[in-house]
Every structure is written in structure tokens, then in C-alpha cells.
């Protein structure tokens, strides 16, 4: 950080002011320092945490188990990888009593699309020499199946048609390549 001195001249409150050679008499120069602050971008959530959002009222959230995380991988890196799949509500990596990060955690996604993307993209993703384990419980699996059925019926696709899955895979891989 650099300081650049600036001279600010304060005028007395009484007028008229005697002037000698263009310089007001009886005014003390005041030395100030101007600092340059880096402006942080504004995010639309209250904690200025990019990628972390509030849940949508009335819409179910989905929780994903992320396991087999290397102890060398920082928590923030895993969080950034999870955010690439979609907006998250929370990420909690389990810690033991001494504060050491464990090899697993839970991510809560705002919508089922992000959960489906995480299951597809992060499955067997290798980070620091270990392949991630990505799972959902049976309740979440049922919710995801219902979501896929609704989406297929909205697009007027037969239930046994896997076109939707192929299009989603292509779109997900295209987004991953962009990033």
C-alpha cells in the first residue's frame, strides 16, 4: 500500500481573507494521506460468500455426501468444486474433536439440477490422488427421480427415453469446459 501526501488548505471561517502573492495568509497547510482500497465485488447474499445462496421457500433442497477427501485438500477447494456444479446452501466438512478435517462432508444444493450435475461430474473426480465418493440417500434419490419424471413429462418425452440424460450430460460437460 502506498501513501501519497496531499496538501489540503483549510480556509478560516471569517471573511475577507488577506492574500499575499496569491496565497492566503494565516492558513496552516494540513498533511493528509490518501490510501487506495481494493473494492470487493458485491454479491447478492448477506455474507458476501460467492456461490452460497439462500434456499427457495417451498422448493425442496437436496443433500449430497462427499467422501474420500484427501486430508491434504483444503476445505475451501472442495467448496469451490461443489459450487461449480450449482448454487449451494451449505457445505459442512466434518471435523474431529481436535479440529482436524475428516475425509467426508455434506453439501446442500438449492435445486435438484445441481445435485444431478454433482452426481454426474464429481463421481470419481480425482483430487490430490484420491477419487471423490459422491452419494445421496434414498429420500434424495426418490426426489431426484420425481424431478426427472416431471422434467420428461414437461418436455413430452417417454419415461424410458434417455435423451434428457444425454442432453444434460452434454450441457454439463460443455459448462465444465468453459470454466
Amino acid at each position: 500500500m502506498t501513501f501519497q501526501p496531499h496538501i489540503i488548505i483549510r480556509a478560516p471561517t471569517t471573511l475577507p481573507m488577506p492574500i499575499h502573492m496569491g496565497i492566503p495568509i494565516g492558513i496552516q497547510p494540513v498533511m493528509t494521506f490518501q490510501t487506495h482500497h481494493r473494492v470487493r465485488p458485491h454479491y447478492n447474499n448477506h455474507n458476501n460468500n460467492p456461490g452460497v445462496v439462500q434456499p427457495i421457500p417451498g422448493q425442496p433442497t437436496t443433500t449430497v455426501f462427499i467422501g474420500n477427501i484427501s486430508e491434504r485438500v483444503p476445505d475451501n477447494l472442495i467448496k469451490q468444486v461443489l459450487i461449480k456444479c450449482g448454487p449451494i446452501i451449505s457445505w459442512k466438512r466434518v471435523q474431529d474433536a481436535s479440529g482436524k478435517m475428516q475425509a467426508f462432508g455434506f453439501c446442500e444444493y438449492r435445486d435438484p439440477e445441481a445435485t444431478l450435475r454433482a452426481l454426474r461430474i464429481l463421481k470419481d473426480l480425482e483430487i490430490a490422488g484420491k477419487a471423490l465418493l459422491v452419494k445421496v440417500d434414498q429420500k434424495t434419490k426418490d426426489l431426484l427421480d420425481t424431478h426427472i419424471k416431471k422434467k420428461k413429462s414437461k418436455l413430452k418425452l417417454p419415461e424410458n427415453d434417455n435423451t434428457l440424460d444425454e442432453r444434460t450430460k452434454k450441457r454439463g460437460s460443455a459448462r465444465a469446459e468453459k470454466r
Side-chain angles (χ1 to χ4, degrees):
M1 189 181 319
T2 61
F3 294 103
Q4 298 175 348
H6 294 280
I7 296 177
I8 297 177
I9 299 176
R10 292 189 186 153
T13 57
T14 59
L15 293 175
M17 188 166 58
I19 297 179
H20 177 67
M21 295 179 60
I23 300 174
I25 298 174
I27 297 176
Q28 298 290 326
V30 178
M31 188 78 93
T32 62
F33 295 96
Q34 180 180 2
T35 59
H36 299 280
H37 296 286
R38 201 175 124 196
V39 178
R40 293 182 63 180
H42 175 71
Y43 299 105
N44 289 332
N45 57 9
H46 299 290
N47 59 2
N48 285 340
N49 199 351
V52 178
V53 296
Q54 298 296 319
I56 298 172
Q59 185 174 351
T61 60
T62 52
T63 303
V64 180
F65 170 84
I66 309 293
N68 202 28
I69 304 170
S70 172
E71 63 184 32
R72 298 186 328 231
V73 177
D75 188 41
N76 201 30
L77 176 68
I78 298 296
K79 184 177 179 181
Q80 292 304 315
V81 170
L82 294 168
I83 288 171
K84 295 294 181 183
C85 293
I88 66 172
I89 295 170
S90 67
W91 159 244
K92 294 177 183 146
R93 189 165 174 187
V94 178
Q95 295 181 351
D96 64 8
S98 66
K100 181 181 173 187
M101 294 290 183
Q102 296 295 304
F104 66 96
F106 299 91
C107 179
E108 188 176 11
Y109 281 103
R110 180 171 68 181
D111 56 45
E113 285 297 320
T115 303
L116 289 169
R117 195 174 303 116
L119 288 169
R120 188 178 60 253
I121 294 173
L122 301 181
K123 179 184 170 192
D124 298 326
L125 177 70
E126 194 170 306
I127 300 178
K130 291 179 94 175
L132 291 180
L133 176 66
V134 183
K135 291 184 178 181
V136 294
D137 62 359
Q138 189 59 44
K139 180 183 168 189
T140 304
K141 194 176 253 186
D142 294 341
L143 179 78
L144 294 175
D145 289 340
T146 306
H147 174 74
I148 291 170
K149 285 179 186 176
K150 283 181 184 177
K151 195 168 181 179
K152 284 183 180 182
S153 68
K154 190 175 182 180
L155 294 172
K156 298 178 183 167
L157 296 171
E159 278 196 36
N160 59 357
D161 186 6
N162 291 332
T163 310
L164 180 63
D165 296 333
E166 294 303 317
R167 285 194 311 193
T168 307
K169 286 178 185 176
K170 287 179 186 176
R171 190 172 45 203
S173 63
R175 285 183 184 163
E177 288 174 9
K178 275 185 185 178
R179 295 177 185 161

